[in-house]
Amino acid sequence: MYRSHTCGELKIGDITKQVTLAGWVQTIRKFGAITFVDLRDRYGITQLLFGENLNAELDAAPLGREFVIQATGIVSERSNKNPNISTGDIEIAVSSYKILNKSAVPPFTIQDDTDGGDDLRMKYRFLDLRRNAVKKNLELRYAVNRSARNYLHENQFMDIETPFLIKSTPEGARDFVVPSRMNAGQFYALPQSPQTFKQLLMVSGYDRYYQIVKCFRDEDLRADRQPEFTQIDCEMSFVEQEDILLMFENLIKRIFKDVKGIDYTEYIERMSWEEAMWQYGNDKPDIRFGMKLANLKFPLHSFPNKIAHLQSSLIGIGDCGFSVFDNAETVVAIAVSGCSEYTRKQIDELTEWVKRPQIGMQGMVYIKCSADGSYKSSVDKFFTEDKLKGIADKADAQAGDLVFILAGREERTRKAASELRLEMGKRLGLRKENEFKLLWVLDFPLFEYTEDDNRWVARHHPFTSPKPDHIAVMINNNPLIEQADKYLEHPYANIKANAYDMVLNGNEIGGGSIRIYQRELQEKMFAALGMSEEEALHKFGFLLGAFEYGAPPHGGIAFGFDRLCSILGGSESIRDFIAFPKNNSGRDVMLDAPSTIDDKQFEELQIQLNLK
Amino acid sequence: MYRSHTCGELKIGDITKQVTLAGWVQTIRKFGAITFVDLRDRYGITQLLFGENLNAELDAAPLGREFVIQATGIVSERSNKNPNISTGDIEIAVSSYKILNKSAVPPFTIQDDTDGGDDLRMKYRFLDLRRNAVKKNLELRYAVNRSARNYLHENQFMDIETPFLIKSTPEGARDFVVPSRMNAGQFYALPQSPQTFKQLLMVSGYDRYYQIVKCFRDEDLRADRQPEFTQIDCEMSFVEQEDILLMFENLIKRIFKDVKGIDYTEYIERMSWEEAMWQYGNDKPDIRFGMKLANLKFPLHSFPNKIAHLQSSLIGIGDCGFSVFDNAETVVAIAVSGCSEYTRKQIDELTEWVKRPQIGMQGMVYIKCSADGSYKSSVDKFFTEDKLKGIADKADAQAGDLVFILAGREERTRKAASELRLEMGKRLGLRKENEFKLLWVLDFPLFEYTEDDNRWVARHHPFTSPKPDHIAVMINNNPLIEQADKYLEHPYANIKANAYDMVLNGNEIGGGSIRIYQRELQEKMFAALGMSEEEALHKFGFLLGAFEYGAPPHGGIAFGFDRLCSILGGSESIRDFIAFPKNNSGRDVMLDAPSTIDDKQFEELQIQLNLK
């Protein structure tokens, strides 16, 4: 070893010991004849003191930032202690040193607040990784990994590796494919998830499976998506939904404890998908704060369970001659706490905010609920003060609150209300980085309608089971949609899935379902998704076959490992938690990959380019 | 949960408890009005007793092999105990049951000694995985995984994920490539190993890295190779070879302890590559038994360090008029213990064995060292009995032994002698399945000569450092080989690498090296391998760049995880230790992958087939 100790371990009790350290030169400070060097390694920083006797040598072989050196000397007490670092009580009086490797001047500073821009840091990722901020993220990632493995091991889960070179079965996202040289003209696909393999393992009797595993999706990369990403992938046999929820909320609680030192003892709230959309306009609500949606008007079909509720409590906002509300499919309000004194300018700015194309509203109505009990609105001429009060009450507004009202098409308006809620939550400091609120969202629709082919697509994936009560509806009805504009009246529109998402602070961190395990139901599902029998057999014959030989009831979940780490680390970007991430074009700018390949490779693979 | 207990946990102390089990029907035996069912799950087998009261139900809904059922009943003491299984003292008196899923009759029996052939079992791998023999292998694999992770964690190694979509840098083995849709005309490669990434992590200061990670090589699949395989991949900074050897022999000892319950306390032998080739004809000798090679004649250049030794001890076998020896480059003998009474037939059979094309010898000479002290040989007319005794003594033969002598070209003869030694070791029962002998092989040549391009190739990989003493030889000489037939006289031929292999029972289970960490030396290495400066920059510019910013001395090792598991499990086939392996054509016969892809996929990727 080039060292007797690391740069993070020497303490006051080590004084007078002779030690050898090795690491990187963080800083060099000269005070007259004496030179102080902060030596850095993975474990910390230790101050080295080069006395006058080493000056000639330092002149002959000068040190520089990021040089790798080895230094031997005696541990001494510092006169000027640094309480901010664990080795701050001591320094090393260097007796000899050796430069192990020089360094060019780094293109940016290796500091928490570096002067390097994103692109530069990605190109020199090996230097960016030296920064404490990035190192902490990777350490947190490893801690989550370790904690998850320990918990799952203690609960009899087995890590079983599934293959990476599999079969292309495009269904949902796009596959990355790999040309096979030995089977010319044929391709492997990289797995979007080990879904079918983990189900086969259940058929094989392995009972409790897990893997922390890379998955691949060739999608256009919107903000903060990566073509390769990591899942904590789990599956269990002989379970019902409740068993999965308990097992995996305890996994997350364990991770909170191990990684953040947080005892998450609260009950984890559960909410149906319909309730989440109704109250938050969003299937992954951030429940760290209230500001729930007040549904003033909405199309009946969207919330069939709300019809009774609707009749008793809906406020008649449609008969006031205000055409914006009259013509809108949906009208939604939220009450923003304590903002009744917002200026015209502030309200205008927020109105512009909801009019941006990303949000897409035409405008926004407000009601100021003044401290004196009066109500002022931008639509005073259409609504009496009583009516305004009625709306404000419906939104649970208190005196001093500001109510915003959005109107338009159901989907866009509800989404806009959700975005506005999150934005106001952020502005008012209600989304606290150190507060963590878990939530299960349940009872998702099994199907979504796609206009493109006038057919159903699986909302989760084609292996998700309907709710037991809904299996008969699925089996006994023809999936064909006769009239495109009346798809909502099709019995399939109301089939709910045995599926669940875990939401943390407004982010989906995991999702899963109880699976179909009967061949007939699985075949019906494929048919419902517009797959011919032949196509289903070609793509998933192995799974249908497996279901014939004693498939047990089973279900599972997969957590987005990158996302989970980023939330636990208090960051919005998953890239900060990946050692070597790709940019928005799917490029690794450090490697300069992807890149061209040799003619010989094309020849061996028997493929050629066909560029447009 | 569908069960209150597993099929492996109920004991005599549980008697009178009401329990619910779920699992697979292993066997059904009817005795008069009573039916016994062995119910199987991952944890074991429990006997179910269906009394007369359930006969009507069993008639209406009969059970079958591999049906999945749920059964509730009372734990009862068995009259006929089975000491071979952990639940053998009890049975469940079933009060009610439910068929959760039926099963077709499996195409082979789910037994240790199944009647299914290889191809059938691979097609129905999900059923093969149910067999206890396969399950034990995957459990062993998980135990090795867990043990390795625990050891590495305790030694401050961090699991850091490296990317799978990287840059194609064909050098040695062939890359699998992945066309990029977003960067049309360009390709990613799947990693053959995370080599350059783990080195970058060392440059980044991560110090101790590990990963249990899939790697990919598009090679023609000889017996027992897989296109995707798993490595335990490790790297450390600030270390010399000795540090690595100690750290990782202790890893393997820990795995022996955790997985096999074996205290491997012996010193782990070390042997130079040259010594291994000299004594065993093989760079991964099985040292569970002796039978070392006696080198009667060999080309001087192969063992430069043996020249002195040679002069003092070589036996003059070249002056006896036996042209086979006279014309041979190499003559090698081994003494097979206690076989002097082998019949003519037995010896003829072994002679045929060495004449097979895989071994490729022209014939074999023997000397019988009889118990009475006399020597008989197939070449009596060329050698006096004294001479025969001289050869036998050189081979360490005792009275009662049989000496085999092979002659021919150095490489082939030495390899044949090694194969014969292993074969005789096997026939004599010297390669015991439950004996484990570890060995470090050190000091490999840094370069190998390739006739194809009349140049050097890296024996390990281009990142391996020469021995410190040999760095100057490498730097100060031109790698160009002026005369192809005299390549052995080039100074590069004798440069040794700072590389090491760990060998277990004649199998290489791991290998690694101390790496180059200076840009100049790395550039010299690329040049030595015939890479132009431009090519080196294109392929490995990121690494050369990284070496300019303070790269620490570092080194590492990678273990072949599949192979390690198979040896620990006492099997010759790594496939038995992989959940979903591929066959010799790289196909997954269960999935039927690789397969064709859609026109749409070709179009999006902007590639097309170019079949010969």
Side-chain angles (χ1 to χ4, degrees):
Chain A
M1 289 290 280
Y2 284 76
R3 65 190 177 201
S4 62
H5 295 77
T6 71
C7 295
E9 67 177 307
L10 293 169
K11 301 262 149 47
I12 197 88
D14 296 305
I15 278 172
T16 73
K17 278 186 193 162
Q18 171 163 313
V19 300
T20 300
L21 301 185
W24 285 261
V25 172
Q26 174 89 9
T27 56
I28 307 169
R29 284 157 294 151
K30 265 188 96 78
F31 288 100
I34 287 174
T35 304
F36 290 104
V37 166
D38 276 352
L39 192 69
R40 186 193 73 231
D41 69 9
R42 177 182 146 196
Y43 309 91
I45 283 179
T46 299
Q47 179 166 295
L48 307 181
L49 186 160
F50 292 74
E52 209 173 345
N53 54 322
L54 290 169
N55 275 348
E57 208 175 331
L58 282 174
D59 284 343
L63 301 179
R65 205 144 58 84
E66 299 306 315
F67 276 37
V68 184
I69 68 168
Q70 183 187 37
T72 297
I74 303 293
V75 183
S76 318
E77 185 165 3
R78 264 165 86 159
S79 51
N80 202 352
K81 295 197 170 67
N82 179 350
N84 298 322
I85 60 173
S86 66
T87 61
D89 289 347
I90 60 97
E91 65 192 1
I92 312 298
V94 176
S95 54
S96 69
Y97 75 98
K98 191 176 163 187
I99 295 175
L100 298 173
N101 217 342
K102 292 184 182 183
S103 173
V105 176
F108 51 84
T109 56
I110 312 297
Q111 305 279 355
D112 282 9
D113 290 315
T114 179
D115 54 359
D118 251 23
D119 291 348
L120 198 64
R121 287 189 293 108
M122 280 302 138
K123 184 162 161 54
Y124 293 90
R125 183 62 169 171
F126 49 88
L127 294 179
D128 199 31
L129 287 169
R130 282 189 192 164
R131 295 193 306 120
N132 205 36
V134 184
K135 196 187 73 179
K136 272 191 181 160
N137 292 347
L138 294 190
E139 283 173 345
L140 178 138
R141 184 179 179 108
Y142 177 48
V144 175
N145 177 325
R146 183 86 192 147
S147 171
R149 286 184 189 279
N150 284 342
Y151 174 83
L152 292 166
H153 178 78
E154 289 157 22
N155 284 283
Q156 280 79 53
F157 285 79
M158 247 175 99
D159 180 350
I160 302 177
E161 292 167 64
T162 53
F164 279 71
L165 296 173
I166 65 165
K167 184 172 179 158
S168 186
T169 54
E171 179 64 34
R174 215 181 276 109
D175 283 330
F176 280 106
V177 298
V178 182
S180 165
R181 183 183 53 86
M182 290 178 75
N183 303 272
Q186 301 192 330
F187 293 74
Y188 301 101
L190 299 180
Q192 295 185 27
S193 85
Q195 183 61 33
T196 51
F197 293 100
K198 65 177 178 174
Q199 291 193 244
L200 289 178
L201 288 172
M202 295 305 107
V203 175
S204 300
Y206 286 80
D207 207 87
R208 294 184 173 197
Y209 143 95
Y210 88 96
Q211 216 183 164
I212 299 185
V213 65
K214 273 279 171 75
C215 301
F216 304 86
R217 274 175 214 177
D218 184 13
E219 290 303 299
D220 296 322
L221 301 173
R222 277 169 292 164
D224 221 26
R225 285 249 191 124
Q226 290 279 315
E228 51 175 310
F229 55 96
T230 306
Q231 286 189 346
I232 306 178
D233 191 52
C234 309
E235 197 80 3
M236 300 172 77
S237 289
F238 301 118
V239 289
E240 289 156 311
Q241 177 171 296
E242 187 61 29
D243 304 309
I244 303 253
L245 301 190
L246 284 177
M247 180 63 76
F248 293 101
E249 60 188 47
N250 284 333
L251 166 64
I252 297 297
K253 286 179 177 181
R254 168 69 168 268
I255 290 172
F256 271 115
K257 179 70 184 157
D258 288 349
V259 176
K260 305 285 291 183
I262 294 173
D263 272 313
Y264 197 107
T265 52
E266 305 105 273
Y267 171 77
I268 293 177
E269 218 177 294
R270 298 173 182 194
M271 193 182 288
S272 72
W273 172 83
E274 212 171 89
E275 206 55 39
M277 295 305 289
W278 176 256
Q279 295 191 327
Y280 298 93
N282 190 323
D283 63 4
K284 43 179 198 282
D286 185 346
I287 58 167
R288 280 175 297 182
F289 64 104
M291 219 188 281
K292 290 181 188 174
L293 273 52
N295 294 282
L296 307 179
K297 185 181 176 187
F298 56 91
L300 294 189
H301 61 73
S302 345
F303 297 97
N305 296 330
K306 299 295 172 197
I307 294 174
H309 177 64
L310 162 88
Q311 283 164 340
S312 67
S313 76
L314 205 63
I315 296 161
I317 55 159
D319 53 358
C320 301
F322 182 49
S323 65
V324 171
F325 287 0
D326 289 353
N327 300 334
E329 197 175 48
T330 294
V331 181
V332 176
I334 60 170
V336 184
S337 190
C339 294
S340 68
E341 299 307 310
Y342 262 30
T343 62
R344 181 62 188 253
K345 202 178 152 200
Q346 285 176 298
I347 292 174
D348 283 352
E349 187 262 322
L350 278 164
T351 307
E352 287 311 308
W353 191 90
V354 301
K355 287 166 81 175
R356 292 176 317 144
Q358 301 97 302
I359 308 291
M361 290 285 99
Q362 301 289 325
M364 183 159 70
V365 169
Y366 68 81
I367 303 172
K368 289 182 171 179
C369 313
S370 302
D372 64 8
S374 69
Y375 295 87
K376 290 255 157 54
S377 159
S378 50
V379 288
D380 282 346
K381 61 175 161 176
F382 298 106
F383 296 93
T384 63
E385 199 162 350
D386 251 18
K387 207 90 183 178
L388 294 177
K389 181 178 185 313
I391 295 173
D393 286 352
K394 182 94 168 69
D396 258 342
Q398 311 298 313
D401 289 0
L402 176 63
V403 175
F404 286 126
I405 309 175
L406 296 169
R409 299 281 299 170
E410 160 66 14
E411 205 180 313
R412 174 169 291 190
T413 308
R414 193 163 292 280
K415 190 164 180 300
S418 167
E419 295 286 344
L420 180 63
R421 173 181 174 271
L422 291 172
E423 176 67 17
M424 294 313 299
K426 194 169 128 192
R427 292 189 185 194
L428 299 179
L430 303 173
R431 307 187 70 183
K432 298 192 192 90
E433 202 185 278
N434 285 317
E435 189 185 1
F436 296 98
K437 274 276 201 184
L438 289 161
L439 167 74
W440 284 112
V441 178
L442 308 172
D443 304 343
F444 285 84
L446 185 62
F447 295 107
E448 270 176 351
Y449 175 72
T450 172
E451 272 179 33
D452 291 355
D453 308 321
N454 184 41
R455 67 167 177 94
W456 303 108
V457 291
R459 195 191 158 87
H460 186 52
H461 57 48
F463 313 106
T464 294
S465 177
K467 290 263 157 213
D469 300 351
H470 296 181
I471 290 179
V473 180
M474 185 164 149
I475 293 278
N476 298 329
N477 284 284
N478 187 332
L480 216 70
I481 301 158
E482 306 264 341
Q483 279 182 274
D485 60 338
K486 293 197 174 162
Y487 76 90
L488 279 165
E489 291 170 22
H490 192 286
Y492 274 34
N494 286 319
I495 297 179
K496 291 290 192 286
N498 235 336
Y500 29 81
D501 276 359
M502 185 174 256
V503 174
L504 174 57
N505 291 1
N507 299 279
E508 180 205 325
I509 57 166
S513 63
I514 299 296
R515 323 298 183 186
I516 296 171
Y517 65 103
Q518 309 93 335
R519 177 167 182 144
E520 305 68 37
L521 189 57
Q522 188 66 64
E523 283 175 332
K524 185 79 184 179
M525 172 58 91
F526 289 143
L529 304 177
M531 241 185 257
S532 71
E533 249 177 81
E534 195 192 355
E535 192 185 351
L537 272 179
H538 172 70
K539 286 182 174 171
F540 299 109
F542 61 96
L543 189 69
L544 293 170
F547 285 176
E548 286 196 71
Y549 292 99
H554 62 285
I557 196 166
F559 291 92
F561 186 50
D562 309 298
R563 169 70 56 210
L564 176 60
C565 292
S566 82
I567 299 171
L568 292 174
S571 164
E572 302 225 324
S573 163
I574 62 170
R575 249 180 249 178
D576 296 344
F577 292 79
I578 297 173
F580 299 101
K582 296 194 172 47
N583 73 8
N584 274 343
S585 321
R587 296 199 68 81
D588 183 321
V589 292
M590 179 188 71
L591 296 182
D592 194 23
S595 62
T596 55
I597 57 172
D598 296 348
D599 290 345
K600 191 180 162 205
Q601 289 175 291
F602 280 112
E603 207 173 288
E604 287 183 333
L605 296 171
Q606 303 187 40
I607 59 169
Q608 62 190 24
L609 295 182
N610 182 21
L611 296 177
K612 281 167 202 157
Chain B
M1 289 290 281
Y2 283 77
R3 65 189 177 202
S4 63
H5 296 77
T6 71
C7 294
E9 68 177 306
L10 293 167
K11 300 261 149 48
I12 198 86
D14 296 304
I15 279 170
T16 72
K17 279 186 192 158
Q18 172 163 313
V19 300
T20 301
L21 302 185
W24 286 261
V25 172
Q26 174 90 7
T27 56
I28 308 169
R29 283 158 295 148
K30 265 188 95 80
F31 288 100
I34 286 175
T35 303
F36 290 104
V37 166
D38 277 350
L39 192 69
R40 187 194 71 231
D41 68 9
R42 176 181 145 197
Y43 310 91
I45 283 179
T46 299
Q47 180 166 294
L48 307 181
L49 187 158
F50 292 74
E52 209 172 345
N53 54 323
L54 290 168
N55 274 348
E57 205 175 330
L58 280 173
D59 284 344
L63 300 180
R65 204 145 57 85
E66 300 304 316
F67 276 37
V68 184
I69 68 167
Q70 183 186 39
T72 298
I74 304 292
V75 183
S76 317
E77 186 166 3
R78 266 164 86 156
S79 52
N80 202 352
K81 296 198 170 65
N82 179 351
N84 297 321
I85 60 172
S86 66
T87 62
D89 289 348
I90 60 98
E91 64 192 4
I92 313 296
V94 176
S95 54
S96 69
Y97 74 98
K98 192 176 164 189
I99 295 175
L100 298 173
N101 218 343
K102 291 184 184 183
S103 174
V105 177
F108 51 84
T109 55
I110 311 296
Q111 306 280 355
D112 283 8
D113 290 314
T114 178
D115 55 357
D118 250 25
D119 290 350
L120 198 63
R121 287 190 291 111
M122 279 301 137
K123 185 164 161 52
Y124 294 91
R125 182 63 169 171
F126 50 88
L127 294 179
D128 199 33
L129 287 170
R130 282 188 192 164
R131 295 194 306 120
N132 206 36
V134 184
K135 197 187 72 177
K136 273 191 180 162
N137 292 347
L138 294 190
E139 285 173 345
L140 178 138
R141 186 180 177 107
Y142 177 48
V144 175
N145 177 324
R146 183 86 191 146
S147 172
R149 286 184 189 280
N150 285 342
Y151 174 83
L152 292 167
H153 179 77
E154 290 159 20
N155 284 282
Q156 279 80 53
F157 284 80
M158 250 175 96
D159 181 349
I160 303 177
E161 292 168 64
T162 53
F164 278 71
L165 296 172
I166 65 165
K167 183 171 179 160
S168 184
T169 53
E171 179 63 35
R174 216 181 272 109
D175 284 329
F176 280 105
V177 298
V178 182
S180 166
R181 183 183 54 86
M182 290 178 73
N183 302 272
Q186 301 191 330
F187 292 75
Y188 301 100
L190 299 178
Q192 296 185 26
S193 87
Q195 183 62 35
T196 50
F197 294 100
K198 64 177 178 174
Q199 292 193 244
L200 289 179
L201 288 172
M202 295 306 108
V203 175
S204 300
Y206 286 81
D207 208 84
R208 292 182 175 199
Y209 143 96
Y210 87 97
Q211 215 181 167
I212 299 184
V213 64
K214 274 279 172 77
C215 302
F216 305 85
R217 274 177 215 176
D218 184 12
E219 291 302 300
D220 296 322
L221 301 173
R222 278 169 290 161
D224 220 28
R225 286 251 190 122
Q226 290 279 316
E228 52 175 308
F229 55 96
T230 306
Q231 287 189 344
I232 306 177
D233 190 50
C234 309
E235 196 80 5
M236 300 172 78
S237 289
F238 301 118
V239 289
E240 289 156 310
Q241 175 169 299
E242 187 60 30
D243 304 308
I244 303 252
L245 301 189
L246 284 177
M247 179 64 75
F248 293 101
E249 61 186 48
N250 284 333
L251 166 64
I252 297 298
K253 286 178 176 181
R254 167 70 167 268
I255 290 172
F256 270 114
K257 179 71 183 160
D258 288 350
V259 176
K260 304 285 289 183
I262 293 173
D263 273 311
Y264 197 107
T265 51
E266 305 104 273
Y267 171 75
I268 293 178
E269 219 177 291
R270 298 172 181 194
M271 194 182 288
S272 72
W273 173 83
E274 211 170 90
E275 206 57 36
M277 296 305 289
W278 177 255
Q279 296 191 325
Y280 298 93
N282 190 323
D283 63 4
K284 43 180 197 285
D286 185 346
I287 58 168
R288 281 175 297 182
F289 64 105
M291 218 188 280
K292 291 182 189 174
L293 273 50
N295 293 283
L296 307 179
K297 187 180 174 188
F298 56 90
L300 293 190
H301 62 73
S302 346
F303 296 97
N305 296 330
K306 298 295 173 195
I307 295 174
H309 177 63
L310 160 87
Q311 284 166 338
S312 67
S313 75
L314 206 64
I315 296 161
I317 55 158
D319 54 359
C320 302
F322 181 48
S323 66
V324 171
F325 288 1
D326 289 352
N327 299 334
E329 197 175 46
T330 294
V331 181
V332 176
I334 62 170
V336 184
S337 190
C339 294
S340 68
E341 299 306 309
Y342 262 30
T343 63
R344 181 61 189 251
K345 205 180 148 195
Q346 284 175 297
I347 291 174
D348 282 352
E349 187 261 322
L350 279 165
T351 307
E352 287 312 307
W353 191 89
V354 300
K355 285 166 80 176
R356 292 176 317 144
Q358 301 95 305
I359 308 289
M361 288 288 98
Q362 300 290 325
M364 184 158 70
V365 169
Y366 68 80
I367 304 172
K368 288 182 170 179
C369 313
S370 301
D372 64 6
S374 70
Y375 296 85
K376 290 256 158 53
S377 160
S378 50
V379 289
D380 281 347
K381 60 175 160 176
F382 297 108
F383 294 92
T384 63
E385 198 162 349
D386 250 22
K387 207 90 188 177
L388 295 177
K389 180 177 186 311
I391 295 173
D393 285 352
K394 181 95 170 65
D396 258 339
Q398 310 298 314
D401 289 0
L402 177 61
V403 174
F404 287 127
I405 309 174
L406 297 169
R409 298 280 300 172
E410 159 67 15
E411 204 179 316
R412 174 169 291 190
T413 307
R414 193 162 293 278
K415 187 163 183 299
S418 166
E419 296 287 343
L420 179 63
R421 174 181 174 270
L422 291 171
E423 177 67 17
M424 293 314 299
K426 192 168 132 194
R427 292 189 185 194
L428 299 180
L430 303 173
R431 306 188 70 184
K432 300 192 191 91
E433 203 185 277
N434 285 317
E435 188 186 0
F436 296 97
K437 274 274 200 184
L438 290 161
L439 167 73
W440 284 113
V441 178
L442 308 172
D443 304 343
F444 285 84
L446 185 64
F447 295 107
E448 271 176 349
Y449 175 73
T450 174
E451 270 178 35
D452 291 357
D453 308 321
N454 184 43
R455 68 167 177 93
W456 303 109
V457 293
R459 194 191 160 87
H460 187 51
H461 57 46
F463 313 107
T464 294
S465 175
K467 290 266 155 208
D469 300 350
H470 295 181
I471 290 179
V473 179
M474 186 165 149
I475 293 277
N476 297 328
N477 284 283
N478 188 331
L480 216 69
I481 300 159
E482 306 265 342
Q483 278 182 276
D485 59 338
K486 292 197 175 164
Y487 76 89
L488 279 165
E489 291 170 22
H490 192 286
Y492 274 34
N494 286 320
I495 297 179
K496 292 290 191 286
N498 234 336
Y500 30 80
D501 275 0
M502 184 175 256
V503 174
L504 175 56
N505 292 0
N507 300 279
E508 182 204 323
I509 57 168
S513 63
I514 298 296
R515 323 300 184 186
I516 296 171
Y517 65 102
Q518 309 91 335
R519 178 167 182 145
E520 303 69 36
L521 189 57
Q522 188 65 67
E523 284 176 330
K524 184 78 185 181
M525 171 59 91
F526 289 143
L529 303 176
M531 239 186 257
S532 71
E533 249 178 81
E534 195 192 355
E535 192 184 352
L537 272 178
H538 172 69
K539 288 182 173 172
F540 299 109
F542 61 96
L543 189 69
L544 292 171
F547 284 176
E548 285 195 73
Y549 291 99
H554 61 286
I557 196 166
F559 291 92
F561 186 50
D562 310 296
R563 170 69 56 207
L564 175 61
C565 292
S566 83
I567 299 171
L568 292 173
S571 164
E572 302 225 323
S573 163
I574 63 170
R575 252 181 245 177
D576 297 344
F577 292 79
I578 296 173
F580 299 102
K582 297 192 171 50
N583 74 7
N584 274 343
S585 322
R587 294 199 70 82
D588 184 321
V589 293
M590 178 188 72
L591 296 182
D592 193 23
S595 63
T596 54
I597 56 172
D598 296 349
D599 290 345
K600 192 179 162 207
Q601 289 175 290
F602 279 113
E603 207 173 289
E604 286 183 332
L605 296 172
Q606 304 187 41
I607 58 168
Q608 62 189 27
L609 295 182
N610 182 22
L611 296 177
K612 282 167 202 156

